[in-house]
Amino acid sequence: MSRKQQLDRPGAPGGPPADDTGCTILHVDMDAFYASVSLLDHPDLRGTPVIVGGGGTRGVVLSATYEARRAGVHSAMPMTRARRLCPQATILQPQPDRYAAVSAAVMEVFREVTPLVEPLSLDEAFLDVAGALRRLGRPSVIGETIRARVADEQGVTCSVGVASTKFVAKLATTRAKPDGLLVVPRDGVVAFLHPLPVSALWGVGERTEEVLTRLGLRTVGDLARTPQGTLERALGPAAGAHLAALAWGRDERRVVSREPDKSIGAEETFATDVDDPTVIQRELLRLSEGVAARLRAAGYVGRTVSLKVRFADFTTISRSRTLREATDVGQEVYATARALYLALGLQRARIRLVGVRVEGLADTAGRTQQLLLDAPERGWREAELAIDSAARRFGAGAVRPGSLVPGHHDPRGSGDPGRARSL
DNA sequence: TCTGGGGTCCTTTTGCCC
DNA sequence: TCTGGGGCAAAAGGACCC
């Protein structure tokens, strides 16, 4: 984008200088990240509509170039609809490893600016640059330096919001996109916020917007003039108080460089709905093994296993069980998930998705030693650690439970794929 | 139009203990 | 012994974000 649009923005190069004093929070967000990274390998597609999205009939749009967005395509939209809206678009399959690599390189650029980097996802992060001003210049200068370096070194563009609080910086980024930078001066926060629609606020999605609309509240300014008690009654105490604060630009949250994970999970939507319990359990086993491997790789154990089931009509239920001892063993995760599934007593209900998640995480180092004395579990854990190292040497999938090997037939017909291993 | 997969957080319900 | 209720943790569901 263009200079033209940037000229309208206070603080943009060529425009009236905005006062960025005290605006030490930067929010950096990559522009159409997945699509932009995919274009690095397809330079011929630059300037054309491109959609990155899941392959099957049930995929959604992960990311789309601005050319495709002009046709109304946006992320999270079902692929079938996106294709109809923009039939001339090129469809690319996601390349998760590529995105992770570019993301890591970009985060490294951020960390050279300040150690106070808080990634929100692969493609965005908060930076607190208060400690870097002397070395690198004013916040807006640091923002432009980052934008230039990311573009030079990674070949993708990003946008930067500069403000005195996290959420105003994040909103500023939205207004700066694509390929821009916007400063919201400290004394301009309320004027910036109040004309915005309530849906611009972090935490206001479709449902909350509906509730607010019923109260006649359209803009952030409307929200700001509403008694906090009213908001709390309509939305609950936490959300009500939160929005009342945000509407006046109050946001005390600091930039924190690394929060420990709270949960690790995996889920899978079947290409077509499944009613065969054997297929469901095989999938639960596959998901459980994957989740446990990720727990071990990250050095976590978790105490609560939760199962998620989404039926053909999209209604979704979850069931969870807390174990006596935290685990990172796939067989234990699977046994729990399977028990939760069987306890549902489903009579061949048509199932669209199943998921397994482990919550209540703690560092492996601090886990109770009792597990180590428990002979059978110890056996599984050691087997799985051996699988981990085989996977590192020979590639993921080198060693798998027997029932996950294509063409395998369960010799005992127990319907439980878990205990037959092709070790 | 027909809805992914990775998460976090909040609210309500439930069961247990005192 | 019966009942009520406070306090708590776990379970379940749902909204939201990227």
Side-chain angles (χ1 to χ4, degrees):
Chain A
M1 153 154 38
S2 54
R3 190 126 282 252
K4 177 171 73 67
Q5 231 167 317
Q6 287 187 343
L7 283 177
D8 302 333
R9 294 198 194 114
D19 181 8
D20 60 4
T21 308
C23 293
T24 57
I25 313 267
L26 267 53
H27 177 256
V28 187
D29 196 345
M30 310 301 295
D31 301 321
F33 182 57
Y34 294 176
S36 305
V37 172
S38 289
L39 283 185
L40 294 175
D41 300 332
H42 300 273
D44 48 306
L45 293 177
R46 265 179 207 290
T48 72
V50 171
I51 299 172
V52 177
T57 50
R58 291 180 147 172
V60 296
V61 175
L62 264 175
S63 178
T65 59
Y66 285 86
E67 290 77 12
R69 292 182 192 199
R70 235 169 267 140
V73 174
H74 57 80
S75 57
M77 171 183 280
M79 286 296 281
T80 49
R81 177 145 186 250
R83 279 201 169 90
R84 242 186 336 258
L85 281 174
C86 193
Q88 70 276 26
T90 309
I91 313 283
L92 296 179
Q93 294 306 303
Q95 306 167 270
D97 296 343
R98 196 87 164 81
Y99 307 144
V102 175
S103 174
V106 169
M107 297 292 170
E108 209 33 58
V109 171
F110 299 166
R111 289 196 185 92
E112 286 174 25
V113 169
T114 168
L116 279 179
V117 176
E118 179 180 343
L120 294 180
S121 65
L122 281 187
D123 76 323
E124 59 177 312
F126 285 113
L127 282 67
D128 185 333
V129 299
L133 300 180
R134 198 183 301 262
R135 187 166 44 99
L136 299 173
R138 338 168 42 86
S140 53
V141 170
I142 296 178
E144 287 297 0
T145 305
I146 289 172
R147 283 175 18 78
R149 277 198 63 188
V150 168
D152 281 357
E153 296 172 20
Q154 300 302 321
V156 293
T157 64
C158 62
S159 300
V160 175
V162 183
S164 53
T165 61
K166 280 176 150 185
F167 102 101
V168 174
K170 187 166 162 69
L171 288 185
T173 308
T174 314
R175 311 286 281 203
K177 274 182 171 299
D179 197 13
L181 177 145
L182 178 64
V183 177
V184 178
R186 259 198 305 200
D187 60 6
V189 167
V190 168
F192 170 76
L193 286 178
H194 283 194
L196 298 176
V198 289
S199 58
L201 292 183
W202 218 4
V204 178
E206 213 176 311
R207 297 306 173 127
T208 307
E209 185 179 7
E210 231 172 75
V211 173
L212 294 175
T213 302
R214 273 204 297 277
L215 292 173
L217 308 176
R218 264 190 48 253
T219 66
V220 177
D222 295 340
L223 209 53
R225 288 183 291 270
T226 304
Q228 184 168 330
T230 307
L231 298 177
E232 291 182 8
R233 275 190 298 281
L235 303 169
H242 186 60
L243 289 190
L246 294 190
W248 287 106
R250 291 194 300 263
D251 179 15
E252 304 290 304
R253 292 168 302 177
R254 306 316 325 164
V255 176
V256 284
S257 37
R258 201 181 112 72
E259 292 283 83
D261 296 317
K262 302 264 169 43
S263 69
I264 288 180
E267 55 193 60
E268 170 81 9
T269 298
F270 298 112
T272 57
D273 299 339
V274 170
D275 66 358
D276 179 348
T278 311
V279 175
I280 301 290
Q281 289 175 63
R282 190 182 305 144
E283 187 59 28
L284 290 178
L285 172 61
R286 191 182 70 84
L287 294 169
S288 299
E289 299 276 358
V291 167
R294 283 167 56 203
L295 286 170
R296 292 191 295 272
Y300 289 121
V301 290
R303 267 193 82 204
T304 303
V305 176
S306 82
L307 167 78
K308 172 166 157 182
V309 176
R310 174 168 290 155
F311 297 102
D313 68 355
F314 223 72
T315 58
T316 308
I317 61 171
S318 64
R319 293 292 182 271
S320 62
R321 177 170 301 171
T322 299
L323 308 172
R324 285 207 348 272
E325 302 293 337
T327 185
D328 59 4
V329 179
Q331 280 297 321
E332 273 191 280
V333 175
Y334 169 63
T336 312
R338 176 172 184 268
L340 290 167
Y341 165 72
L342 292 175
L344 292 173
L346 301 178
Q347 305 292 333
R348 301 198 78 90
R350 290 171 57 227
I351 290 175
R352 177 190 179 93
L353 166 151
V354 289
V356 174
R357 177 165 298 278
V358 175
E359 304 161 7
L361 303 187
D363 287 336
T364 306
R367 80 203 251 282
T368 347
Q369 292 304 301
Q370 189 174 335
L371 247 179
L372 296 172
L373 304 173
D374 187 334
E377 303 308 348
R378 175 168 176 238
W380 281 117
R381 184 162 202 272
E382 288 183 345
E384 292 180 9
L385 288 171
I387 291 173
D388 290 344
S389 75
R392 278 193 297 274
R393 281 164 56 199
F394 305 118
V399 187
R400 287 176 298 178
S403 68
L404 297 184
V405 176
H408 166 88
H409 298 287
D410 182 351
R412 296 155 303 155
S414 68
D416 176 3
R419 295 270 158 175
R421 251 179 211 272
S422 61
L423 270 175

